[in-house]
Amino acid sequence: MKHVMIAAVIGCLVTTSCNQVAGWFGTNSDSTSGQELDSSSYAAFVRDESITQANAYSDLFLDSTSLEKYIQDKKVDNENARALRNFYLVRNYQYAWFTTNGLTEQGRGLWNLSSADSIAAHKDFKNHMDSLVENDSLTIPNGDTSFVQTELSLTNELIQIAHTKNNGLINASNFYYLVPSKKQDPLQMADSILKGQTDSTLYKGNKPYASLKQQLAIYFEAAKDSSWQALSSAANNLKKGAKSDAVTAIKKRLQVINEYTTADTSNVFTDSLETALKEYQKRNGLAPTGVVNDSLITVLNITPQQRVEQILVNMNRMLWMHPVEDSSRVVVNIPSLMLEVFTDSGHVVEMPVIVGKEGTSTLMFNGDISKIVFNPTWTIPESIVKNEILPKMKSDPGYLKKKNMEIVSQNDSIPVIKQLPGKDNALGNVKFLFPNSYDIYLHDTPDKTLFARKDRALSHGCIRVADAEKLAKYILKDQSEWTAEKIRTAMTGNKEQTVEVTNKKPVYITYYTAWTDENGKMNFRNDIYGHDKETADRMFTRTG
């Protein structure tokens, strides 16, 4: 399933020859052909020397000697070696998967796609990559060659996907430009994408991308309007029944972005405007009051060009996430701080979540919920023991007993500590396991008051859910012996109990700040980890 997405989206992005590609990648004018190349046409690839340290997507470069040494040492066959060389030719030997700030978005995305396949089978490399993905503070000095092997191994993995996992949807000529190579004007990039291939069959397996592309067209047109002006503070506190020129300005603003579909531009705050504002507020993560306030004005004053950039960043991010094909699924979108459950009948459950705080950022990946543990024991991570538990033990010798914790073994100078089941257990009454390399899972919490906070990036990386009992009922709905009463009884005891989930439930952990919902409506959220900003700064040129 995961390879369908990469195949489909690569196809939709490559619309001319391999040296004349519009979209994320700019346009290389060295092409001599207007036809899409096949695997026999590698000779047409040329080095893009217009890519420099100043305009490159990545600020790290390798040399051809390193590439040739890798090919020789790894005994890469001729076809794959040719693909490796061409991949870096069109990037002017610029890294694809790393910058001086660590892994790129695409590096994390590729590892998510490939983590169950070829190179992941090599345990040492898998452990190495998992540690890099988890490292929020990784930096790579310019001139540091220690990451060359990792960079080239990841590229080789992309080639394996393109060559052997394509299901006939792509050929070996059109994956070279999947990763951005140099900064572009965002409106020119949007224009190139919107003028590209529009055949809907190319979006098979990537419906979120196709839907977001439709919204890109709306904001692209809005961004071309030179008369756009920020709303003034005069709009603040306006509500139904008010009359003001600011009401007209708000109506026109919403009409431009297809959020107010009537032709009315009067200065009267009507019922229809209130309804439109409530919907707009909800889909921007604001309280749906229908009243104009500072938060709403701030959102409405985000320029159309900024929204174009945000949409483009998220479209690029969607290229690397497993396609959400399961009709029955659990989805946690980190920026929205919400968990949603979808079934064949549509959206059925929604609840707030608490995600990793900055520095312990919850990752973007997917899996299958295979086990539920009622009244779990918590084996406290070593970092928490070292940074939080040991100082408290030093100041209070009775701390462990008060917190229902015990030392179970000694790991050098750091003890292994568990918190036993009970009302104060940090995992609450239940946890939901979907095996992954990062030891991230969903769990209950004894402190429900935190879910009322707007900022809920507070955890150490795992995801706390507001209504664990409701989620447990959904996960176990196909196991008739697990009635609502039995689930409640299991949750209120003090005995740990593990339940195997008969029909494993897909779970998707995403990081989308711009997306369309099941009704095709545009949603925006804040960039809580700064991923959008970091990627946009590398993708776009800006003036002024």
Side-chain angles (χ1 to χ4, degrees):
M1 176 177 69
K2 56 190 169 188
H3 301 293
V4 173
M5 167 169 285
I6 197 168
V9 299
I10 290 172
C12 76
L13 291 174
V14 178
T15 62
T16 58
S17 79
C18 69
N19 279 319
Q20 195 177 32
V21 180
W24 310 113
F25 331 103
T27 300
N28 187 323
S29 59
D30 296 315
S31 173
T32 59
S33 169
Q35 296 179 345
E36 184 176 333
L37 298 178
D38 61 23
S39 59
S40 66
S41 304
Y42 291 110
F45 286 91
V46 294
R47 185 169 182 172
D48 186 352
E49 295 182 351
S50 70
I51 298 172
T52 66
Q53 191 81 30
N55 67 14
Y57 181 70
S58 173
D59 51 1
L60 293 175
F61 288 77
L62 53 86
D63 58 52
S64 58
T65 304
S66 299
L67 176 58
E68 294 305 319
K69 186 176 186 306
Y70 175 87
I71 290 171
Q72 184 177 4
D73 290 348
K74 298 296 183 182
K75 297 180 173 58
V76 180
D77 64 64
N78 288 339
E79 185 178 14
N80 287 342
R82 186 167 47 191
L84 274 166
R85 294 184 184 109
N86 288 332
F87 183 84
Y88 287 102
L89 271 177
V90 299
R91 300 184 62 76
N92 203 16
Y93 289 95
Q94 168 199 179
Y95 279 51
W97 317 115
F98 293 94
T99 71
T100 53
N101 291 329
L103 272 168
T104 62
E105 284 244 349
Q106 294 75 24
R108 290 173 180 269
L110 175 59
W111 185 241
N112 180 51
L113 283 174
S114 64
S115 58
D117 294 311
S118 55
I119 56 175
H122 302 285
K123 185 176 180 181
D124 290 344
F125 189 85
K126 183 179 187 304
N127 291 339
H128 172 59
M129 278 303 304
D130 287 345
S131 68
L132 294 180
V133 170
E134 288 185 291
N135 189 344
D136 289 327
S137 57
L138 175 67
T139 58
I140 305 173
N142 253 311
D144 183 350
T145 60
S146 61
F147 284 83
V148 169
Q149 287 282 112
T150 307
E151 164 75 18
L152 295 174
S153 293
L154 285 170
T155 304
N156 197 39
E157 175 64 4
L158 176 64
I159 292 168
Q160 300 309 311
I161 292 173
H163 277 267
T164 65
K165 302 289 187 179
N166 56 52
N167 296 315
L169 295 175
I170 62 170
N171 59 50
S173 70
N174 58 11
F175 64 85
Y176 295 88
Y177 304 91
L178 185 59
V179 183
S181 60
K182 63 181 177 183
K183 294 180 175 68
Q184 296 183 65
D185 177 271
L187 296 186
Q188 289 181 2
M189 180 185 291
D191 189 42
S192 295
I193 290 173
L194 292 170
K195 287 179 179 177
Q197 178 60 261
T198 58
D199 185 347
S200 62
T201 62
L202 293 176
Y203 300 130
K204 181 181 178 182
N206 198 355
K207 293 177 182 178
Y209 180 96
S211 184
L212 198 53
K213 182 178 176 180
Q214 293 177 345
Q215 295 293 326
L216 175 65
I218 295 171
Y219 283 87
F220 173 68
E221 290 301 320
K224 293 191 296 183
D225 182 1
S226 59
S227 66
W228 190 95
Q229 291 183 340
L231 297 173
S232 72
S233 58
N236 202 11
N237 295 319
L238 290 173
K239 55 186 175 181
K240 186 170 68 173
K243 292 184 178 181
S244 169
D245 290 342
V247 172
T248 298
I250 291 171
K251 288 178 179 178
K252 289 181 177 180
R253 177 66 47 81
L254 293 177
Q255 285 170 343
V256 166
I257 55 177
N258 204 33
E259 294 287 349
Y260 187 61
T261 55
T262 74
D264 170 36
T265 57
S266 70
N267 68 349
V268 180
F269 199 124
T270 59
D271 288 340
S272 60
L273 178 60
E274 182 186 53
T275 299
L277 283 180
K278 285 181 179 180
E279 277 295 309
Y280 185 75
Q281 287 171 318
K282 182 179 180 181
R283 288 187 279 103
N284 280 269
L286 306 175
T289 61
V291 176
V292 180
N293 54 26
D294 289 339
S295 297
L296 179 59
I297 293 173
T298 297
V299 170
L300 286 169
N301 279 341
I302 296 174
T303 69
Q305 174 157 329
Q306 288 174 302
R307 290 305 196 193
V308 166
E309 291 189 10
Q310 187 176 4
I311 291 170
L312 287 170
V313 166
N314 281 271
M315 286 173 68
N316 187 269
R317 189 172 289 145
M318 286 173 179
L319 307 188
W320 299 96
M321 187 63 184
H322 293 278
V324 180
E325 294 182 335
D326 309 279
S327 58
S328 181
R329 63 192 184 275
V330 177
V331 178
V332 176
N333 186 40
I334 297 164
S336 65
L337 300 169
M338 297 294 293
L339 177 149
E340 296 179 279
V341 173
F342 298 88
T343 67
D344 292 335
S345 58
H347 180 268
V348 294
V349 174
E350 184 177 74
M351 67 182 70
V353 296
I354 293 170
V355 301
K357 59 188 175 184
E358 186 178 2
T360 53
S361 306
T362 304
L363 299 162
M364 187 166 168
F365 63 101
N366 65 294
D368 295 298
I369 297 176
S370 58
K371 292 181 182 180
I372 294 179
V373 183
F374 292 110
N375 295 299
T377 298
W378 182 35
T379 301
I380 304 173
E382 184 177 299
S383 60
I384 299 178
V385 172
K386 179 181 178 181
N387 299 323
E388 300 179 28
I389 305 298
L390 289 182
K392 292 176 181 177
M393 289 171 59
K394 187 175 181 180
S395 62
D396 181 3
Y399 177 79
L400 291 185
K401 185 175 181 181
K402 292 176 183 176
K403 295 296 183 180
N404 202 23
M405 297 177 181
E406 62 181 22
I407 297 175
V408 295
S409 63
Q410 196 76 23
N411 182 12
D412 296 326
S413 60
I414 307 296
V416 176
I417 298 177
K418 288 187 176 181
Q419 186 177 41
L420 303 176
K423 61 183 180 64
D424 296 322
N425 188 286
L427 304 185
N429 296 320
V430 60
K431 68 178 179 180
F432 307 86
L433 300 179
F434 42 104
N436 58 80
S437 300
Y438 319 112
D439 197 27
I440 290 177
Y441 46 85
L442 307 173
H443 67 87
D444 186 25
T445 177
D447 188 357
K448 307 293 187 184
T449 60
L450 295 176
F451 291 105
R453 292 180 51 168
K454 185 176 180 180
D455 173 17
R456 297 194 297 278
L458 305 167
S459 79
H460 289 91
C462 288
I463 301 166
R464 308 177 204 173
V465 300
D467 194 338
E469 182 177 344
K470 180 182 288 187
L471 185 58
K473 289 176 181 177
Y474 163 73
I475 301 298
L476 296 174
K477 65 185 178 65
D478 301 322
Q479 294 170 243
S480 57
E481 71 275 19
W482 280 96
T483 62
E485 182 180 353
K486 186 175 181 179
I487 289 172
R488 191 171 297 111
T489 299
M491 289 181 65
T492 54
N494 284 318
K495 180 181 178 182
E496 185 173 87
Q497 182 178 6
T498 300
V499 180
E500 298 284 342
V501 178
T502 303
N503 294 324
K504 297 177 182 180
K505 299 297 186 292
V507 57
Y508 295 83
I509 313 299
T510 63
Y511 190 93
Y512 296 136
T513 64
W515 76 96
T516 58
D517 56 30
E518 63 270 27
N519 298 314
K521 298 293 187 179
M522 193 68 226
N523 287 253
F524 291 109
R525 293 296 187 279
N526 291 332
D527 179 24
I528 63 174
Y529 293 158
H531 293 335
D532 280 14
K533 183 182 185 307
E534 181 179 353
T535 300
D537 287 347
R538 296 190 177 279
M539 285 178 66
F540 305 123
T541 57
R542 298 187 177 99
T543 57

